[in-house]
Amino acid sequence: MTQGQQEENKLHSRNRKALELFKQAQEFDHLGNFFKSHDLLQEVLQRDDSFDEAVLLLHQVLIKRGEIEVALGVYEKYKSKVDQEFKNRMLADAAYFMFSNGAYERAKVLKDQIEGKVDNVDEALFTLVATSIEYALRGKTNAIEIEF
């Protein structure tokens, strides 16, 4: 079995065309062409709407495009069709985006929905982000108003 076949067997789809399109979408994502990747992922999900990695990549592509609300819509649409660790990864990615943009309360709400393992995220990194969200919220609450 070749390395490509081994990687294909790890993916959560048996639809050959969906797998082929997914690989193309990954390549466009790596190249930074998020619009082409998005279009391919839409086609992938028309063929297999429970393809965990495709749902996750679509969510991530939308975040990279700055379309967080649309990405959260993808989460809502597909959360009943994907494995828990992929749902958790989407929540973690969205929480990190919110945290990075100063939306600490929304980041906390998303983080608090995570239950169990997060796909392909080191536990120490996740703990750091979760702790940073809590710290930012405490700092915001305890901030001192300074007038000039």
Side-chain angles (χ1 to χ4, degrees), residues 7-25:
E7 289 174 11
E8 190 173 296
N9 286 339
K10 292 180 184 176
L11 297 174
H12 292 91
S13 180
R14 296 292 166 240
N15 183 307
R16 287 210 179 277
K17 186 64 177 174
L19 289 166
E20 178 186 317
L21 291 168
F22 175 74
K23 289 177 185 176
Q24 291 175 22

Side-chain angles (χ1 to χ4, degrees), residues 93-107:
D93 289 346
Y96 182 75
F97 178 88
M98 294 294 187
F99 169 75
S100 298
N101 287 285
Y104 307 129
E105 292 87 359
R106 286 191 75 193

Side-chain angles (χ1 to χ4, degrees), residues 99 104 125-138:
F99 169 75
Y104 307 129
L125 176 61
F126 177 73
T127 300
L128 175 65
V129 171
T131 303
S132 297
I133 291 168
E134 297 297 332
Y135 181 79
L137 284 170
R138 277 195 310 273

Side-chain angles (χ1 to χ4, degrees), residues 91 95 106-114 126 130 133-134:
L91 290 167
R106 286 191 75 193
K108 182 176 180 355
V109 167
L110 292 165
K111 175 197 68 80
D112 288 347
Q113 293 177 55
I114 295 172
F126 177 73
I133 291 168
E134 297 297 332

Side-chain angles (χ1 to χ4, degrees), residues 28-109:
F28 280 107
D29 175 60
H30 292 299
L31 293 171
N33 189 339
F34 306 128
F35 291 93
K36 182 65 176 173
S37 181
H38 173 271
D39 293 345
L40 288 167
L41 289 165
Q42 293 284 18
E43 192 172 339
V44 168
L45 292 171
Q46 287 175 358
R47 295 174 183 277
D48 183 353
D49 67 352
S50 63
F51 188 168
D52 294 341
E53 292 85 358
V55 173
L56 175 59
L57 184 56
L58 177 60
H59 184 265
Q60 292 170 334
V61 162
L62 289 165
I63 289 174
K64 291 173 188 174
R65 287 174 39 173
E67 298 180 41
I68 187 64
E69 298 305 328
V70 179
L72 291 171
V74 166
Y75 170 78
E76 288 298 324
K77 180 177 180 178
Y78 292 101
K79 70 182 180 183
S80 66
K81 297 180 182 200
V82 298
D83 290 343
Q84 185 66 41
E85 65 186 65
F86 289 92
K87 287 190 280 193
N88 289 342
R89 177 61 188 267
M90 287 188 280
L91 290 167
D93 289 346
Y96 182 75
F97 178 88
M98 294 294 187
F99 169 75
S100 298
N101 287 285
Y104 307 129
E105 292 87 359
R106 286 191 75 193
K108 182 176 180 355
V109 167

